[in-house]
Amino acid sequence: ADTPGVGQAVAHVREDRPGVQQLVGYVVPAPGAAVVPEELRTHAAERLPRYMVPALFVTLDALPLTANGKLDRRALPAPAGAAPSVAPGEGTARVLARLMAEVLGLPAVGVEDNFFELGGDSIVSIRLVSLARKEGLTVTARQVFQEPTPAGLAAVVAPEDTGAAERPADVGTGPLVLPPVAHWLAARGGPYERFCQARLVRLPAGVRGADLITALQAVLDRHDGLRLALTVARPGLWSAEVRPVGALEAGSVLRTVHAVGAEGTALRELVARESDRAAGELDPAAGRTVRAVFLDAGPGASGRLLLVAHHLVVDEVSWQILLPDLRSAWEAAAAGRAPALEPVPTSLRTWTAGLLAEAHSARRLAELDRWLAQAPDGRLLTDRALDPARDTVATARRLEVRLSAERTGPLLERVPAAVHGTVNDILLAAFALAVGGWAARAGRMAEAAGFAVDLEGHGREQDLVPDADLTRTVGWLTSVYPLRLGARTYDPAAVLAGTEDAGAALKEVKELLRDVPDGGVGAGLLRRLNAGTAGLFEPGGAGGTVGAEVLWNYLGRQTARTASDSSEWGPAEEADALSVAPDPALPLSHALEVVAEVAAGPDGPQLVASFVWAGEALSQDTVSALADGWLDALDAFTAWADGGTTAGHTPSDLDLLELDQDQITMLEEMWRGQQ
């Protein structure tokens, strides 16, 4: 309406056919003007989302009004020009393609591109589901795995039923069934108070502490799990309660620290000091689960916000919910409005109560033998069991490896595409090769046949609980489950030496992961939430006396998690100075923990992995050999994919056909021969 020649104007989005959206501009010309100014058409063409068809403009003598003098949208006439012909679902596919590009940090995604072959993973898929629902599309993470292209997903997703009855409020306060992973932490013993996660974000210049308190209070009140209070009846025996709204006051959570003029090394030292202090203030038994620090750089400078939360109340997915909510609440407070955050469809309390019921269901009990059989036959990497008094955080050692963007690129796209798998398939298969290669050199291939790792998953398998929607549920929902990785169809040493096809290793690990039911949550449910089956997993039980020596955790793409962030409210570059390590006396859970992620680098995404091990139970030579072998295996997979292979299909890709791997390989070889 500010354009010369326009008296009044209103924009209206029409959707005459499912998935086909079109902007229609209704314009009342100013006195003396008779046509729609051309700059309006240019403006719309430059700014319309890619998934919308070209805009139409309609000239009116006057805008239709209701009896109360308000715009009557129902009386707006249909435009004379029809929307371009678009196949049913194509508009939805374009929406999904745009959202996939956003969560993957890519400039664009085609409607036939495979989400996982572009570097997507299970954690990023949850973010995709959340964004899709904001666009009015009902999508599940399982559907993303089943139909990983925008076009395929568009054919199965449903538009949100806005006419359905309003969902009843989910009561999130009261006694809380702790999830299996919390019982796993309790069983470790030792001091748990500093077991936390942290984020450091860059703030806009001129942020006021009062607005941050208002925003933080809105977040604390919206997400019930943050108000958890733990009860420790005796070591290892925990229970919990979610306190009422308002029980956790933002004023007691947030403190302000003078940071005017702090830059470079000085700012990093301040971040390290304040994050260490904040972690030391956590105590879930006293209800202190969250701490925040406003590093105030002054009215004309960009400050920092430090957030530290006990792991009992957050996980990696939770941060993807909390940080956008905090920003949204602050923007409202800064504008003088009351924050109005979206509701949480399924509370943490409702979800974990459903898990307790699921732990006793027939389908979970049917998995018991499966999970018992996944326990390793013995030790491979160490000669003794971990000693909780000796093998602690204080004696842990750490090795970090980082791949260049050039070496990382193929692992995110070409290699997953070649095997029709995911990035995690590739990384875990490489680790299996590294262990097998080390065992061959050490003369321990017999022991390696029963080698197993514990895998961390996001645990948000919402199909387990009727009508659950975890897209906005904050809490520690991680699953931990064992998986045997002993080589069956390939020789690890031969693959690493380049004398055997690397594809065999990739296919084997991919199929092992695809065969895991419901993301492995059943293992934790049967071991931690079902008293009748829990004893079978303990020393002396049917599952054996030796646990997995390695904990494997792939955190996904950091670049995907932050792709839509601007410099304000995005990750601060000083985050590498965070100092929130657990208490030195906390016992280690595994002899070796491997945490991998794809982080943003100066030249593009880079694969980063941390190897943390019990320094007195496992030698540095062994860990170094495993890390080197892992990197060698990743390069071997890249070479395999660059060789032009098309032999990457496995039985899980062809679930409508009863073909085993040998039959699939034979058919692929016959096809290549004909080409």
Side-chain angles (χ1 to χ4, degrees):
D2 293 332
T3 303
V6 175
Q8 292 177 292
V10 62
H12 184 68
V13 175
R14 300 179 59 89
E15 191 168 32
D16 295 321
R17 296 190 295 280
V20 182
Q21 291 184 317
Q22 185 169 37
L23 178 74
V24 180
Y26 294 90
V27 180
V28 177
V35 296
V36 177
E38 190 59 31
E39 53 258 51
L40 278 184
R41 303 183 193 276
T42 303
H43 181 90
E46 291 175 347
R47 289 164 177 80
L48 276 182
R50 291 190 299 271
Y51 63 88
M52 293 187 73
V53 299
L56 287 176
F57 288 88
V58 178
T59 301
L60 301 177
D61 294 330
L63 295 178
L65 303 177
T66 65
N68 296 325
K70 296 183 178 180
L71 177 69
D72 187 353
R73 287 189 176 271
R74 289 179 297 181
L76 290 170
S85 177
V86 180
E90 185 176 330
T92 301
R94 291 176 181 174
V95 174
L96 293 169
R98 171 174 58 85
L99 299 180
M100 285 187 183
E102 180 176 343
V103 299
L104 292 171
L106 299 175
V109 169
V111 295
E112 297 295 340
D113 289 343
N114 187 297
F115 175 72
F116 297 103
E117 293 177 2
L118 293 176
D121 53 63
S122 59
I123 291 180
V124 179
S125 71
I126 294 176
R127 174 67 174 151
L128 174 64
V129 167
S130 178
L131 292 181
R133 294 195 176 191
K134 290 182 179 180
E135 296 280 354
L137 299 173
T138 301
V139 186
T140 68
R142 177 168 294 184
Q143 286 175 323
V144 177
F145 273 87
Q146 293 171 338
E147 300 289 347
T149 68
L153 192 57
V156 298
V157 302
E160 191 173 40
D161 186 2
T162 56
E166 185 177 349
R167 188 177 184 134
D170 189 352
V171 179
T173 60
L176 174 72
V177 175
L178 284 170
V181 70
H183 291 288
W184 171 78
L185 176 61
R188 289 175 65 171
Y192 60 87
E193 289 83 0
R194 285 181 58 100
F195 194 67
C196 62
Q197 293 187 330
R199 294 293 186 272
L200 183 72
V201 298
R202 175 188 289 271
L203 296 176
V207 168
R208 297 177 299 178
D211 293 335
L212 285 179
I213 289 179
T214 299
L216 184 58
Q217 190 66 61
V219 171
L220 296 174
D221 290 345
R222 174 61 71 195
H223 297 291
D224 303 324
L226 299 178
R227 305 192 302 274
L228 176 148
L230 188 67
T231 297
V232 181
R234 59 190 305 174
L237 184 59
W238 292 0
S239 61
E241 181 176 359
V242 175
R243 296 179 295 165
V245 171
L248 192 56
E249 296 181 357
S252 67
V253 169
L254 177 70
R255 70 170 181 270
T256 300
V257 173
H258 180 78
V260 175
E263 297 178 354
T265 301
L267 182 55
R268 280 182 161 78
E269 290 176 350
L270 184 61
V271 168
R273 184 166 61 251
E274 291 300 328
S275 59
D276 179 69
R277 176 184 171 187
E281 293 171 344
L282 297 176
D283 184 2
R288 297 196 297 269
T289 57
V290 181
R291 282 293 178 266
V293 182
F294 173 30
L295 301 179
D296 188 357
S302 173
R304 303 290 186 268
L305 181 63
L306 166 66
L307 298 166
V308 180
H310 199 278
H311 211 336
L312 283 172
V313 303
V314 294
D315 55 16
E316 287 296 320
V317 177
S318 296
W319 289 109
Q320 299 179 29
I321 302 167
L322 290 174
L323 293 178
D325 271 12
L326 187 60
R327 177 177 185 170
S328 175
W330 171 81
E331 289 174 344
R337 305 190 309 271
L341 299 178
E342 295 180 41
V344 177
T346 300
S347 69
L348 178 64
R349 188 167 175 263
T350 295
W351 172 249
T352 58
L355 291 183
L356 179 61
E358 180 65 19
H360 297 81
S361 69
R363 62 176 173 178
R364 294 283 84 92
L365 290 173
E367 296 177 7
L368 180 59
D369 289 340
R370 173 197 184 90
W371 295 121
L372 292 175
Q374 292 298 316
D377 296 330
R379 298 185 185 90
L380 174 64
L381 304 178
T382 62
D383 296 324
R384 63 171 177 84
L386 293 183
D387 181 348
R390 180 181 176 188
D391 301 309
T392 64
V393 170
T395 61
R397 304 189 66 181
R398 181 186 183 93
L399 171 67
E400 182 176 283
V401 298
R402 182 182 294 264
L403 264 68
S404 66
E406 182 180 4
R407 293 173 69 188
T408 299
L411 302 174
L412 301 181
E413 297 185 20
R414 293 205 300 275
V415 182
V419 77
H420 308 285
T422 69
V423 176
N424 191 44
D425 297 341
I426 311 307
L427 303 184
L428 186 58
F431 185 73
L433 272 177
V435 171
W438 174 86
R441 294 190 299 273
R444 306 192 65 176
M445 284 303 293
E447 294 94 326
F451 178 72
V453 299
D454 278 341
L455 275 68
E456 286 196 25
H458 59 70
R460 294 170 183 255
E461 307 294 335
Q462 58 190 27
D463 292 344
L464 299 184
V465 176
D467 299 322
D469 179 352
L470 301 178
T471 54
R472 286 190 47 76
T473 305
V474 169
W476 192 17
L477 306 184
T478 304
S479 60
V480 181
Y481 62 94
L483 186 70
R484 283 201 180 208
L485 290 178
R488 298 170 178 82
T489 60
Y490 63 94
D491 178 357
V495 172
L496 290 173
T499 59
E500 185 174 316
D501 186 17
L506 279 173
K507 294 173 188 177
E508 181 172 300
V509 172
K510 172 190 166 185
E511 287 301 287
L512 287 174
L513 289 170
R514 295 299 179 279
D515 193 45
V516 173
D518 295 321
V521 295
L525 296 180
L526 294 172
R527 184 169 186 175
R528 307 294 179 184
L529 295 188
N530 187 321
T533 58
L536 300 176
F537 293 89
E538 301 305 319
T545 60
V546 180
E549 296 174 290
V550 177
L551 177 64
W552 174 269
N553 188 10
Y554 174 55
L555 299 179
R557 294 187 66 163
Q558 186 186 86
T559 49
R561 294 199 297 271
T562 62
S564 62
D565 290 333
S566 64
S567 59
E568 297 177 351
W569 289 95
E573 54 270 30
E574 303 85 13
D576 57 356
L578 290 170
S579 178
V580 292
D583 192 292
L586 180 70
L588 298 173
S589 63
H590 293 75
L592 173 63
E593 180 177 356
V594 183
V595 180
E597 67 175 345
V598 177
D603 301 317
Q606 293 184 335
L607 178 64
V608 182
S610 296
F611 290 71
V612 180
W613 72 96
E616 297 186 6
L618 189 59
S619 74
Q620 180 169 351
D621 289 343
T622 297
V623 176
S624 296
L626 292 176
D628 290 343
W630 185 62
L631 297 178
D632 290 342
L634 292 174
D635 287 340
F637 290 152
T638 296
W640 173 77
D642 287 345
T645 180
T646 55
H649 286 98
T650 60
S652 63
D653 298 324
L654 309 171
D655 54 0
L656 296 181
L657 302 175
E658 294 184 2
L659 297 175
D660 60 26
Q661 187 62 64
D662 289 341
Q663 292 171 320
I664 293 173
T665 301
M666 178 186 68
L667 289 171
E668 289 176 328
E669 290 175 350
M670 292 172 60
W671 180 85
R672 285 198 303 274
Q674 291 180 355
Q675 299 307 304

